[in-house]
C-alpha cells in the first residue's frame, strides 16, 4: 500500500481539527489500512464519541451522495474513490466497530494496563477510582491516619516532626484541613518526584554549593555591627527613627514570618543599593554608608536571605515527609487493594529509567509489553488530537510505539498529530505544549522532512469581524513583546500566523467595551443581551468568565436582574442546592445522630416534620430505630425513595424542579449504595459533594469558564470577566525545576520574590515560570476570543494608568485605549474598538419553532393479544411457619442447618423403601446400618411397629403403588404449585382406577411432648392439605379419598392431618 | 410444549418423569415447569415434571467429600503464590509485586481460579494450553510456567487429600452417570451449551435417545448444527429483519432515558395486564435505574437474578463485626453501634432500659468531647456505658479463638435472644441470610482445617467476599414486570417485548481485556470467542423478532452514552442489512440525541416554618455578639438551641483549643505563689504541666495524631505566653482576679459571663481587664468590636454611630460589658484588652484597647441595651445575608437568600 506519511498539523481555533482528523482516518482506510489497526486518541469521552460518529456519518454520506463522494475523495487525496468504494469502507468500519480504537488517552491506558496486570506488579483486576470515589478513599485514609493512637506510634512521631517542619512552628490548629490542602496542592508533585532527595535539597538546587546557612549564622553579630556602625553616621531624626524601627522589627522577625513594615522597607532599599551599599535611600533621602556599615549591612542582608532560604528548604523537606507519610498509608490501603486513579494507571505504564515495561510491537525483547498479542491489536497508525494538552507522562507511555511507527522501514505505519499550541490552557494539569515542536524536531533532525508540517488558518467558525479582532490583538507582536519581554512573547510570536475567515457571508460584529467595575461589567453584559435578544433570534450565546463561582454569580445576576434564562455550567450540587435535598439529608442525620438538634430542628421546619408525626416517628428513639433499620435493610436509595414518595404530595403540583432534584437525589443515593457502604457519615459526605453538569438545554444563555468553553463555538460570545493581575504571575505553590527530559531536578517552597530575586538559580527559575504563566494566559485569552461565530463583545475596565500587565492592558495596547462611543443596535456603549456591522443581529429573522414530541413506545391492545401466562407461584413448603431461635441459626455443628442435613439424609434413605416386606429390604437395611446416625434412625423407623403401616401394602387393595420423592407441577386455584411428595401410597381397583391414597410426610425435627405434637400438626396442616389437593387432582379422586399423615420420625408417631378448607 | 407432551391428551397425569430436559438457564427451567403445569391444567390435570437442568448440572459434582470446594481451591492457589520463588517464573511475574501478602495472593488466586474455570468449559486444563495453542504462539514460555503453577496447585490440594475440582469435572464429562429412571434426554432452546456438557451428552446418547430442539422455523433447520448451535456462516451474514425498523429501534441519550421509556410504556399498560409486556435488560447499567424508576412510579418490577448479598443488611452487620475483629478503633465501634441488630442486642443484654437514640447520642458526645482513639480509651471515659460494654463483649468474643468459631459465637451473642418468625417476611429473609452465612462459615471451617497460617482478619475478608457474592432471590410480587437478562429473553413469551441496552459489547456480548486469554488464543483453544457470541446473539435477536411477527411487538432501545458518560455504540446486529441500506442505517443509528430531560429553573420547594419558643431566662455575653452578627441565627442557636453534631470530628475545634489554653492560664492565675513570679521558666513549666494534666484528664494518655499536633501547638503558645506574663508582671501588672463570674442586668435582660482575668498595677493601682484569645491571627479589640458600616448596612440604629467621622457599627460588646460589670467594684480608670496567644509565637502579647473612650463606652452601652431590648421584644429579623456558607452552621437551611428561605417571619419578629 502507498505510504501515508507522518503529519503534524497546527490547527488554529475553528479551523476544523476534527474535520482534518476524520479525513485522515478516512484517508488511511482508503489507502487500505484495516480499521482496527488505527488508534485515535483524544482527551474527553465526548470528543471521542463525536469523532466516531463523524467518521461514520462522513462515510455514510459519501457512500450515498456521489457528489460528496467526489469532494471527499479529493480532500483525502484519493481522487479515484467513488461512492461504491466508500460504501465498502463503511461496511468494513461497521463490521470492525468493536475492534476500533478511538477513545481517550485514559481509556486506552487503562485498557493496556488491564492486559498486563502482573507485568505491572498488580495482583489482578483493578477498578478505576472516579472523582467521588477518590475523595471517599482519601477521607478514609485520613481517618485511619488520625483515628488510631499507639499502633503507628513510631510513624506518628515522625509524621509530627515532619508536620512541624512543614509548617515551621507557625502551627495550624486544624490538621485535617491543612493536610487535605497539602494533598490537593502537592500530591501530583510528590508522585512525580517520590525521591526524598529531590525535596529542599540545596546540593541539587545550587550545583556550585550554597553558603546560606553559614551566612544565616551571622544574623545577630551583623545586626550588632550595623547598629554600632550607624551610631556615628549623620542621620535625620526621621532616618534614625526608621533604622530603630528596622532593628526592632528585626528582633521580632523569624525566617518565614512576614517582615515588619520597617524591616521590609529598608531591606528593599538596601537591595536596591546592592552590591555597592555605599549609600542608601531612607525617608526619601539618600544617606551615605561608611565601609564598615556597608559591609555589616551586606552581611546582614546575606544572613537574612540565608536564614529565609534555610527555612524554606527545611519546610520543603517537611512537606515531603508529610506527603510521604500519607502516601504510605494510601498506597497500602487503596492502590494495593486494586483501586487506581487514571493518574496511577499512567504512572504504572511509564517506562521508567531502566526502560522496563516499554510498550512495544516487537515480541522479542524481554522486559517489554508486547501489545499485539495481548490486545489483539496490531497498531499501525496513530492519530493524536489536542496534542498541546498532552502531558509528558502520556507521551512517554506512547513514545516507543510511535517511534516504531515513524521508524518503520516499509513506511506502512504512520503518525499524525494535531493541535494548537495557542490553546494550551491546561499546562496546570500537565499539558506540555513544548512537546509539539520537540517531537517534530526530534524526528526531522534525524530524517529531514519525515514529518510534514501543515497549518490550518482558515476559521470555519468565526466571521470576518471576530477574526479581525483576534488578529488585531495577537498580531500585535510589538505590544506583546514589550509587555512580556523574553521567551514568553517570543515563543508566542514565533508560532503566530494571521487567521482568516472561511465564512465571509457570516458577517457579524466584534467590539471592545469599557465598564468601570464588576457591577458595571455585568450590567453592560445584560444590556447587550437585551439588545441582541439572541435566544429570540435562535442564536446560541455564551458568557465566558475565569472562575466557576463568577459563572454562578453572573448567571444568578442575569436571571435576577434581567429575567434572562441563564445557566451556569459549573457543576451543580444537586443534592444540597435545594430545600428538598437538604431536608432529606437532615432526616438521615437526625436518625443517625439523635443528638443533632440542628438536624431535628431543621426537620421540624419542613413538611417532613408533619410527616414524621403522622408516621408516629416524632420521638427520636422511634425515628432512629425505624430509619436505621430501613437503611440497613434496603440501602439508601430505596429508603430515600420511600420518604420522597411520601413527600411528593406536599410539593406544589407544578413544581417540576424539586421533583427533578428528587430524582437526581435518588439516583445519587443509588450510586452510593453501589459502593456497598452503609456509612451514614460517608453517605452525607458523598451526597454533599455529588455534582452533575447541567444538561445542555437548548434556548438558554450559557455561562461558563473559558476552560470549559474550549472546543465549543457560539453565535454570540460576551467576555465580561477578563480583569485580573499580571498575566505573567507564576502559579503559586511549590517550585518544581525540571530537566529538559522533564524529570524533576528539585522541589522548593519558593521564598518571596524579594528574596528569590537575589539568587541567580531561583531568579532563573522564576523567570521561566513566569514565561510559562504568561504563555498560558495568552492562550487563555486566545481561546476566549475564538469561541464566537458572529459576534463577540469584550468588556473590560478602561486601562487608565494602572500599569499592571493584565488582559485589559494588553487589549488596550493592541486595540487602543481611548474611550469612544460604540453602538450595538439601538444601544450605545463606551468602548475602544468596533469592527463589522453594529446592526448585524437585526438582520437575523427569528426561527420558526419546530415541534418535536418526545418519542414514545407504542402499545399493543391487551384485549387482542394472547398474554403469556404468569401465575403467582406457591410451594407447599411456603406454607410452613414457625419460630427459629437466633442462637440455633448460627450453629456450626448440630441444630440449625445441621438438623436440615440430617433430615435430608433421612428422607433420602426412606425414599429407597418401596415395601418393607420385599426381599431387597434386607440388603438395604444392611447398608443403612453402615451409614451413621441417619442410618440408625431410618432403620429404627423401618422396624418400629407404630410405623409399620407406612411401609406395608394396605390390605384389601388389589393394586397398590408407591410414589417416592415424587415431584409434581400443578395449577391450583389460579396458582402454580410446585412440590415433592415424600411418600404416597395409591390403592387402585382391578381396572387400575385409583380408589384412595395416603400421603405420608416425614418430619425429622425433635419433638418432645404432646403439646408440641399438636403444634406441629397445626404448623404443617396447610402444607399437607395442599398435598391432599394435588394428589386428588393427579389421581382424579375426591379430596376425602386422600388421607394425609405426618410421620414423626423421632417419636415413631403417625398423625392424621384433618381435612381443612383450602388453607 | 406439545413437542414434549407428545401424544398425551389428558386422562391421568402428564407424566414426563422419565425425561431429562436440558435448558440454558435456571430461569428458563422455571419457565418450562410453569408451562408444563399450565399445559396439564388445560386438561384439568397435573404433571409429573421431567428432570429439568442446565448444561453445567450435567457435569456437576456429586458432592463427594474428596473434591476441593471453590474456597479450598482458592486457598490452595494462594498457598502456591505465597511460597513462590518468583525468579523461576519470570515469564509470569516479570517484576516483583510491591508486597507479597495474603491479600495479594488471594487476588492472584481469584484470577487463576477464573482462568481454570474458563478453560475447563472446553475441557482444558492450564497444562493443555501450550500443546493446544501450537508452538508458534507468542507466549509459549509464559504458559509453560503457568502449567507448572497448576501442577503445584494440584499438589497443594493432593497433600490435603483433595481433588482438583475442574479436573474432576472434566473426568466426569467423560463418564457421566445417568440418574436412574431416565429414558430420554431433550436439549431445549439452548443456543450455546457448555462444550464440556456436550461431551457428557454425547456419552449419554449411547445409552438413551438424545433429542435437540431449537426455537426456529422448520425451514431454518439447516442453520444449526447437530447440537442446536446457530451456524456462523448463516447467522453472521443474514440481514436482521424487523418491520418498521426506525419506529421499533430507538436511540436514547443514556441509561436513564432508556429506563424512562420502558417505564412510560409499562405505565401505559397500567400494570393491569401482566404478561403482555416483558422487559429485557442487556446493559446492566439500565437495570438499577429501571428498578428504581418502576418502584418510584408505583409499578412492580422483578429481577429474577436476585440481589447480591453484599447489598443486604446482614452483610453490613458482618462487615461491622469484621471491622471490630480487625481493630477496636472507636470508628469501628461507631459503625457497629449503628447496626440495628446491635441496637436490638442492647436491651437483650439485660439492660432493658437502654435506648438506641440515647446510646448513639452518647457516642457522638463521647467523640466530640474526648476523641477517643479506641474502645478501651472510650470505656475509660464512660465505664458505665451499656453500649460500650456490649461492644467490648463482642470484641472479646471475636478475638478469642479462631475463625469461624469466634464469629459464630459473636453472632449467637447478638441474636441469642431473638426469635425469627418465619411467617414474617423480614424475619424469613433474615433467617435466610443467616443460613447462607452459616453455610459460608462451615465451608471456611472445613477449609481452615486443612489450610493453616491465615489470620482471623484474613479469614473474615475471604468469608465476607464469599458471602457477598451469593445471590438472594426475593419472590416475585404479583403482576410484576420481569426484568430479564439478554440470554433469558429467548424464553420470554410476552407478546410485547422491550429490550434495553442494544449497544455493542452488551449485544453482541463481548469480552475484552483478559490478560491470559486474548481472542486470538481463545480461537486456537476452541474456547468461546466474541465471534461465537456474535453468532449466538444474531440468532437470538432474530428469534425474538420472528416470534413476534404476528400480533406481537419488539422494541429495541440503545443508549448514546453510559452513566459515566462514555460514548456507546449501537449493536452491530442492527447494522446487519443489505449494503444499499447501510448508509441510511448508519445515519439513523449514529444521529445525535440531545438529552430529553429539560432542566426546569430553580424553584423553592417550601419555606421553613420557624416554630415559636420561649426566650432563655439569661444569656451569655457572647449572645450579644451573636445577635449583632445575625439576629435570626441567634434565634436558631440561642432560642431554639439548634446545634450540629460533627460525626467526622477527629481533632480539637477552635473552642476546645481555647478552653484547653484557658484552663492552664486560669490555673496559673489562681496560683497565688505565681502571681508575683517573673521567671518565665517557672511559669512555663507550670502552664505546660497544667496543660498536660488537663489534656490527660480529658483525652486520656493515648492521643490521636491530630491531638498530639494540636497540643504541641498549645504548648508553644503557652510557652511564649509564659514569657509575656513574666514581662507584664515585671512591668508591674499583678493578676487580681481570674475567671471572675458576673451577672449584669442589661435593660431588663440578664447577661452573665466570666472575665478571663483582671490585673491591677502595683504602683498606679490601675485596673486592666484582659481576655485570652487563641485565634490564629492576633486579635485587636477595636477590630473585633467595631466595623465600618457596609454599603447596604442592615444593622439597627442603636448599633451604629459616628466614630472619627466614619459611620461605624458595633460587632461585639464583650469588653465594654466586662468593664460595665466591674464598674461598681473597681471605680476609676480601667483599661481593657486582649492577651493574644496566636499562631505566630512572635505575635504573642497583650493588645490594649487604648482609645477606649468614654464616648465609646456610652455608645457601646446604648448598643447593649438596644440588643437586650430587641431580644426581649423578640426582634430576630432581618437575617445577615452575608455569612459565607462554609462558616455558617445553618447553611443547609438556606437557599438563594436566608430571608427568602423562611416563612412566618412575624413569629420571630
Ligand atoms: S501502586 Fe499499589 S497497586 Fe500499583 S503497583 Fe504500586 S503497590 Fe501495586
Amino acid at each position: 500500500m502507498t505510504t501515508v506519511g507522518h503529519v503534524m498539523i497546527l490547527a488554529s481555533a475553528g479551523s476544523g481539527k476534527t474535520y482534518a482528523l476524520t479525513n485522515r482516518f478516512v484517508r488511511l482506510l482508503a489507502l487500505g489500512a484495516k480499521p482496527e489497526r488505527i488508534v485515535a486518541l483524544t482527551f474527553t469521552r465526548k470528543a471521542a464519541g463525536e469523532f466516531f460518529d463523524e467518521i461514520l456519518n462522513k462515510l455514510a454520506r459519501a457512500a450515498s451522495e456521489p457528489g460528496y463522494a467526489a469532494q471527499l475523495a479529493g480532500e483525502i487525496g484519493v481522487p479515484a474513490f467513488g461512492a461504491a468504494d466508500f460504501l465498502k469502507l463503511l461496511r468494513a468500519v461497521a463490521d470492525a466497530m468493536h475492534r476500533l480504537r478511538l477513545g481517550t488517552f485514559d481509556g486506552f491506558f487503562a485498557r493496556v494496563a488491564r492486559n498486563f496486570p502482573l507485568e505491572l506488579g498488580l495482583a489482578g483486576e483493578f477498578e478505576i477510582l472516579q472523582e467521588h470515589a477518590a475523595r471517599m478513599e482519601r477521607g478514609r485514609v485520613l481517618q485511619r491516619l488520625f483515628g488510631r493512637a499507639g499502633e503507628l506510634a513510631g510513624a506518628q512521631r515522625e509524621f509530627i516532626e515532619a508536620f512541624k517542619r512543614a509548617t515551621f512552628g507557625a502551627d495550624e490548629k486544624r490538621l485535617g484541613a491543612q493536610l487535605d490542602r497539602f494533598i490537593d496542592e502537592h500530591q501530583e508533585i510528590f508522585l512525580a518526584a517520590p525521591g526524598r532527595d529531590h525535596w529542599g535539597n540545596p546540593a541539587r538546587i545550587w550545583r556550585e554549593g550554597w553558603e546560606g546557612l553559614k551566612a544565616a549564622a551571622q544574623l545577630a553579630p551583623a545586626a550588632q555591627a550595623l547598629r554600632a556602625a550607624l551610631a556615628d553616621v549623620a542621620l535625620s531624626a526621621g532616618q534614625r527613627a526608621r533604622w530603630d524601627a528596622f532593628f526592632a522589627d528585626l528582633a521580632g522577625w523569624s525566617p518565614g514570618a512576614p517582615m515588619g513594615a520597617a524591616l521590609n522597607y529598608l531591606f528593599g532599599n538596601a537591595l536596591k543599593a546592592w552590591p555597592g551599599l555605599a549609600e542608601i535611600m531612607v525617608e526619601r533621602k539618600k544617606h551615605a554608608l561608611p565601609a564598615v556599615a556597608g559591609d555589616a549591612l551586606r552581611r546582614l542582608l546575606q544572613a537574612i536571605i540565608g536564614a529565609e532560604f534555610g527555612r524554606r528548604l527545611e519546610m520543603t523537606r517537611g512537606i515531603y515527609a508529610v506527603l510521604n507519610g500519607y502516601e504510605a498509608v494510601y498506597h497500602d490501603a487503596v492502590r494495593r487493594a486494586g483501586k487506581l486513579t487514571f493518574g496511577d494507571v499512567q504512572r504504572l505504564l511509564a517506562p521508567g529509567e531502566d526502560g522496563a515495561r516499554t510498550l512495544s510491537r516487537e515480541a522479542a525483547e524481554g522486559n517489554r509489553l508486547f501489545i499485539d498479542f495481548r490486545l489483539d491489536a496490531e497498531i499501525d497508525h496513530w492519530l493524536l488530537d489536542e496534542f498541546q494538552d498532552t502531558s509528558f507522562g502520556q507521551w512517554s507511555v506512547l513514545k516507543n510505539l510511535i517511534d516504531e511507527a515513524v521508524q518503520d522501514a516499509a513506511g506502512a505505519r504512520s503518525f499524525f498529530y494535531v493541535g494548537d499550541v495557542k490553546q494550551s490552557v491546561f499546562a496546570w494539569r500537565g499539558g506540555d505544549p513544548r512537546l509539539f515542536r520537540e517531537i517534530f524536531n526530534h524526528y526531522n533532525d534525524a530524517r529531514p522532512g519525515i514529518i510534514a508540517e501543515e497549518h490550518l488558518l482558515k476559521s470555519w467558525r468565526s466571521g470576518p469581524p471576530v477574526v479581525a479582532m483576534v488578529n488585531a490583538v495577537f498580531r500585535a507582536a510589538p505590544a506583546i513583546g514589550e509587555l512580556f519581554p523574553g521567551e514568553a512573547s517570543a515563543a508566542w510570536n514565533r508560532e503566530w500566523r494571521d487567521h482568516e475567515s472561511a465564512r465571509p457571508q457570516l458577517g457579524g460584529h466584534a467590539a471592545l467595551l469599557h465598564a468601570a467595575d464588576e457591577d458595571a461589567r455585568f450590567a453592560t453584559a445584560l444590556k447587550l443581551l437585551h439588545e441582541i435578544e439572541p435566544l429570540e433570534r435562535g442564536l446560541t450565546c455564551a458568557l465566558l468568565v475565569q472562575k466557576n463561582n463568577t459563572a454562578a454569580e453572573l448567571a444568578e445576576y442575569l436571571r435576577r436582574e434581567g429575567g434572562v434564562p441563564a445557566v451556569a455550567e459549573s457543576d451543580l450540587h444537586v443534592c444540597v442546592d435545594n430545600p428538598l435535598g437538604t431536608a432529606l439529608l437532615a432526616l438521615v442525620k437526625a436518625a443517625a445522630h439523635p443528638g443533632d438538634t440542628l438536624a431535628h430542628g431543621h426537620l421540624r421546619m419542613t413538611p417532613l416534620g408533619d410527616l414524621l408525626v403522622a408516621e408516629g416517628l416524632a420521638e427520636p428513639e422511634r425515628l432512629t430505630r425505624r430509619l436505621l433499620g430501613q437503611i440497613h435493610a434496603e440501602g439508601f436509595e430505596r429508603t430515600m425513595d420511600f420518604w420522597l414518595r411520601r413527600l411528593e404530595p406536599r410539593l406544589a403540583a407544578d413544581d417540576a424542579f424539586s421533583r427533578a432534584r428528587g430524582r437526581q437525589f435518588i439516583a445519587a443515593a443509588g450510586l452510593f449504595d453501589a459502593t456497598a457502604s452503609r456509612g451514614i457519615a460517608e453517605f452525607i459526605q458523598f451526597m454533599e459533594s455529588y455534582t452533575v453538569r447541567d444538561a445542555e438545554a437548548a434556548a438558554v444563555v450559557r455561562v461558563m469558564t473559558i476552560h470549559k468553553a474550549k472546543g465549543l463555538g457560539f453565535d454570540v460570545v460576551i467576555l465580561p470577566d477578563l480583569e485580573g493581575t499580571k498575566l505573567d504571575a507564576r502559579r503559586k505553590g511549590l517550585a518544581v525545576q525540571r530537566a529538559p527530559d522533564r524529570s524533576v531536578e528539585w522541589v522548593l517552597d519558593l521564598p518571596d520574590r524579594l528574596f528569590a530575586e537575589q539568587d541567580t538559580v531561583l531568579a532563573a527559575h522564576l523567570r521561566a515560570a513566569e514565561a510559562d504563566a504568561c504563555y498560558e494566559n495568552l492562550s487563555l485569552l486566545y481561546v476566549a476570543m475564538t469561541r464566537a461565530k458572529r459576534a463577540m463583545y469584550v468588556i473590560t475596565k478602561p486601562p487608565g494608568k494602572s500599569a499592571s500587565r493584565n488582559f485589559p492592558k494588553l487589549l488596550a495596547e493592541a486595540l487602543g485605549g481611548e474611550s469612544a462611543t460604540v453602538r450595538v443596535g439601538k444601544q450605545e456603549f463606551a468602548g475602544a474598538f468596533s469592527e463589522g456591522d453594529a446592526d448585524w443581529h437585526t438582520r437575523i429573522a427569528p426561527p420558526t419553532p419546530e415541534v418535536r414530541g418526545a418519542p414514545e413506545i407504542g402499545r399493543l391492545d391487551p384485549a387482542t393479544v394472547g398474554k403469556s401466562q404468569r401465575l403467582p407461584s406457591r410451594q407447599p413448603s411456603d406454607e410452613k411457619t414457625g419460630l427459629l431461635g437466633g442462637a440455633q441459626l448460627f450453629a456450626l455443628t448440630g441444630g440449625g442447618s445441621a438438623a436440615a442435613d440430617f433430615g435430608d439424609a433421612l428422607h433420602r434413605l426412606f425414599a429407597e423403601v418401596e415395601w418393607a416386606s420385599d426381599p431387597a429390604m434386607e440388603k438395604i437395611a444392611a447398608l443403612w446400618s453402615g451409614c451413621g446416625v441417619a442410618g440408625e434412625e431410618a432403620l429404627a423407623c423401618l422396624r418400629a411397629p407404630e410405623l409399620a403401616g407406612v411401609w406395608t401394602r394396605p390390605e384389601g387393595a388389589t393394586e397398590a403403588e408407591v410414589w417416592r420423592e415424587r415431584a409434581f407441577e400443578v395449577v391450583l386455584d389460579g396458582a402454580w404449585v410446585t412440590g415433592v411428595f415424600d411418600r404416597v401410597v395409591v390403592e387402585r381397583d382391578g381396572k387400575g382406577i385409583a380408589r384412595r391414597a395416603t400421603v405420608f410426610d416425614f418430619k425429622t425435627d425433635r419433638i418432645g411432648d404432646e403439646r408440641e405434637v399438636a403444634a406441629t400438626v397445626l404448623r404443617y396442616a396447610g402444607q399437607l392439605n395442599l398435598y391432599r389437593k394435588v394428589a386428588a387432582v393427579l389421581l382424579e379422586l375426591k379430596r376425602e379419598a386422600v388421607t394425609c399423615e405426618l410421620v414423626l420420625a423421632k417419636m415413631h408417631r403417625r398423625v392424621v392431618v384433618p381435612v381443612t378448607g383450602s388453607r | 410444549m406439545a413437542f414434549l407432551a407428545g401424544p398425551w391428551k389428558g386422562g391421568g397425569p402428564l407424566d414426563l418423569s422419565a425425561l431429562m430436559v436440558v435448558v440454558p438457564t435456571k430461569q428458563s427451567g422455571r419457565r418450562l415447569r410453569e408451562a408444563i403445569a399450565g399445559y396439564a391444567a388445560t386438561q384439568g390435570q397435573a404433571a409429573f415434571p421431567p428432570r429439568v437442568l442446565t448444561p453445567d448440572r450435567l457435569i456437576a459434582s456429586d458432592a463427594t467429600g474428596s473434591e476441593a470446594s471453590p474456597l479450598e481451591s482458592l486457598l490452595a492457589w494462594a498457598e502456591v503464590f505465597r511460597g513462590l520463588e518468583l525468579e523461576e517464573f519470570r515469564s509470569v511475574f516479570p517484576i516483583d509485586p510491591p508486597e507479597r501478602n495474603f491479600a495479594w495472593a488471594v487476588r492472584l488466586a481469584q484470577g487463576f481460579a477464573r482462568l481454570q474455570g474458563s478453560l475447563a468449559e472446553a475441557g482444558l486444563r492450564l497444562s493443555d494450553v501450550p500443546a493446544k495453542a501450537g508452538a508458534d504462539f507468542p507466549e509459549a514460555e509464559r504458559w509453560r510456567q503457568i502449567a507448572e503453577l497448576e501442577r503445584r496447585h494440584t499438589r497443594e490440594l493432593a497433600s490435603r487429600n483433595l481433588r482438583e475440582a475442574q479436573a474432576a469435572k472434566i473426568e466426569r464429562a467423560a463418564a457421566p452417570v445417568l440418574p436412574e429412571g431416565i429414558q430420554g434426554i431433550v436439549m431445549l432452546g439452548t443456543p450455546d451449551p457448555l462444550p464440556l456438557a456436550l461431551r457428557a451428552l454425547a456419552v449419554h446418547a449411547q445409552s438413551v435417545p438424545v433429542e435437540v430442539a431449537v426455537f426456529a422455523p422448520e425451514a431454518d433447520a439447516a442453520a444449526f448444527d447437530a447440537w442446536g448451535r446457530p451456524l456462523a456462516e448463516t447467522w453472521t451474514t443474514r440481514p436482521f429483519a424487523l418491520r418498521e425498523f426506525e419506529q421499533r429501534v430507538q436511540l436514547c441519550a443514556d441509561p436513564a432515558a432508556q429506563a424512562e421509556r420502558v417505564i412510560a410504556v409499562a405505565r401505559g399498560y397500567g400494570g393491569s395486564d401482566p404478561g403482555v409486556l416483558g422487559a429485557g435488560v442487556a446493559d446492566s447499567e439500565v437495570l438499577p435505574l429501571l428498578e428504581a424508576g418502576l418502584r418510584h412510579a408505583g409499578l412492580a418490577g422483578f429481577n429474577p437474578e436476585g440481589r447480591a448479598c453484599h447489598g443486604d443488611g446482614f452483610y453490613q452487620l458482618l462487615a461491622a463485626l469484621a471491622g471490630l475483629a480487625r481493630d477496636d478503633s472507636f470508628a469501628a465501634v461507631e459503625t457497629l453501634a449503628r447496626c440495628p441488630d446491635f441496637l436490638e442486642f442492647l436491651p437483650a443484654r439485660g439492660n432493658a432500659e437502654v435506648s438506641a437514640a440515647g446510646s448513639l447520642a452518647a457516642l457522638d458526645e463521647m467523640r466530640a468531647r474526648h476523641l477517643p482513639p479506641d474502645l478501651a480509651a472510650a470505656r475509660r471515659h464512660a465505664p458505665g456505658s451499656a453500649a460500650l460494654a456490649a461492644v467490648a463483649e463482642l470484641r472479646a468474643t471475636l478475638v478469642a479463638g479462631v475463625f469461624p468459631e469466634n464469629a459464630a459465637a459473636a453472632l449467637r451473642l447478638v441474636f441469642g435472644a431473638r426469635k425469627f418468625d418465619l411467617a414474617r417476611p423480614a424475619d424469613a429473609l433474615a433467617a435466610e441470610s443467616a443460613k447462607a452465612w452459616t453455610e459460608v462459615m462451615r465451608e471456611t471451617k472445613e477449609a481452615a482445617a486443612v489450610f493453616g497460617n491465615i489470620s482471623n482478619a484474613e479469614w473474615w475478608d475471604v468469608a465476607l467476599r464469599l458471602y457477598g457474592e451469593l445471590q438472594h432471590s426475593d419472590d416475585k410480587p404479583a403482576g410484576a414486570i420481569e426484568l430479564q437478562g439478554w440470554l433469558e429473553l429467548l424464553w420470554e413469551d410476552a407478546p410485547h417485548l422491550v429490550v434495553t441496552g442494544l449497544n455493542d459489547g452488551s449485544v453482541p456480548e463481548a469480552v475484552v481485556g483478559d490478560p491470559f486469554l486474548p481472542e486470538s488464543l481463545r480461537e486456537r483453544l476452541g474456547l468461546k470467542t466474541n465471534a461465537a457470541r456474535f453468532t449466538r446473539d444474531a440468532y437470538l435477536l432474530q428469534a425474538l423478532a420472528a416470534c413476534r411477527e404476528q400480533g406481537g411487538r419488539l422494541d429495541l432501545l440503545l443508549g448514546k452514552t453510559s452513566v459515566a458518560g462514555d460514548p456507546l455504540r449501537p449493536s452491530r446486529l442492527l447494522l446487519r442489512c443489505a449494503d444499499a441500506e447501510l448508509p441510511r442505517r448508519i445515519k439513523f443509528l449514529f444521529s445525535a440525541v440531545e438529552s430529553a430531560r429539560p432542566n426546569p429553573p430553580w424553584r423553592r420547594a417550601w419555606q421553613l416554618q420557624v416554630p415559636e419558643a420561649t426566650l432563655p431566662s439569661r444569656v451569655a455575653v457572647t449572645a450579644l455578639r451573636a445577635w449583632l452578627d445575625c439576629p435570626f441565627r441567634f434565634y436558631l442557636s440561642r432560642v431554639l438551641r439548634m446545634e450540629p453534631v460533627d460525626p467526622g470530628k477527629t481533632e480539637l475545634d477552635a473552642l476546645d483549643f481555647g478552653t484547653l489554653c484557658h484552663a492552664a492560664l486560669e490555673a496559673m492565675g489562681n496560683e497565688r505563689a505565681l502571681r508575683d513570679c517573673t521567671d518565665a521558666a517557672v511559669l512555663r513549666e507550670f502552664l505546660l504541666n497544667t496543660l498536660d494534666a488537663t489534656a490527660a484528664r480529658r483525652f486520656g494518655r493515648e492521643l490521636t495524631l491530630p491531638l498530639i499536633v494540636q497540643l504541641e501547638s498549645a504548648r508553644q503558645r503557652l510557652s511564649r505566653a509564659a514569657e509575656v506574663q513574666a514581662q507584664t508582671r515585671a512591668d508591674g501588672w499583678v493578676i487580681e482576679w481570674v475567671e471572675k463570674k458576673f451577672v449584669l442586668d442589661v435593660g431588663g435582660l440578664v447577661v452573665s459571663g466570666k472575665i478571663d482575668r483582671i490585673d491591677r498595677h502595683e504602683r498606679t493601682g490601675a485596673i486592666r481587664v484582659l481576655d485570652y484569645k487563641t485565634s490564629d491571627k492576633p486579635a485587636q479589640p477595636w477590630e473585633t468590636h467595631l466595623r465600618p458600616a457596609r454599603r447596604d448596612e442592615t444593622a439597627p440604629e442603636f448599633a451604629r454611630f459616628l466614630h472619627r467621622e466614619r459611620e461605624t457599627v458595633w460587632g461585639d460588646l464583650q469588653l465594654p460589658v466586662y468593664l460595665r460589670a466591674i464598674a461598681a467594684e473597681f471605680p476609676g480608670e480601667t483599661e481593657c484588652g486582649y492577651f493574644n496567644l496566636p499562631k505566630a509565637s512572635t505575635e504573642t502579647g497583650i493588645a490594649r484597647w487604648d482609645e477606649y473612650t468614654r464616648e465609646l463606652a456610652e455608645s457601646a452601652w446604648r448598643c447593649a441595651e438596644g440588643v437586650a431590648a430587641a431580644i426581649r421584644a423578640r426582634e430576630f429579623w432581618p437575617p445577615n445575608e452575608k455569612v459565607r456558607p462554609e462558616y455558617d452552621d445553618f447553611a443547609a437551611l438556606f437557599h438563594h437568600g436566608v430571608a427568602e428561605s423562611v416563612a412566618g417571619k412575624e413569629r420571630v419578629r
Side-chain angles (χ1 to χ4, degrees), chain A residues 117 120-123 126 330-332 334-340 344 348, chain B residues 95-99 104 107:
Chain A
L120 300 175
L122 296 165
F126 57 87
Y330 180 91
H331 196 70
D332 182 63
V334 183
R335 295 199 193 99
R336 266 176 212 156
K339 298 178 192 159
L340 306 183
D344 294 327
L348 279 177
Chain B
I95 65 169
D96 290 347
E99 199 193 349
W104 167 80
R107 298 193 49 228

Side-chain angles (χ1 to χ4, degrees), chain A residues 529-610:
Chain A
L529 290 174
H530 281 323
E531 166 60 31
I532 299 169
E533 301 190 308
L535 301 182
E536 291 74 357
R537 294 193 158 80
L539 298 169
T540 58
C541 174
L543 288 80
L544 308 185
V545 297
Q546 296 198 58
K547 296 219 167 350
N548 270 321
N549 49 4
T550 320
E553 286 165 21
L554 180 50
E556 183 65 27
Y557 170 87
L558 295 174
R559 283 193 299 257
R560 199 178 59 238
E561 304 296 319
V564 177
V567 175
E569 281 179 31
S570 42
D571 302 337
L572 303 174
H573 291 74
V574 288
C575 300
V576 287
D577 72 351
N578 65 94
L580 179 61
T582 47
L584 285 170
L585 284 183
L587 178 65
V588 177
K589 283 187 193 161
H593 305 286
D596 191 331
T597 49
L598 172 49
H600 280 282
H602 183 177
L603 285 180
R604 254 179 263 111
M605 298 184 195
T606 71
L608 264 170
D610 315 348

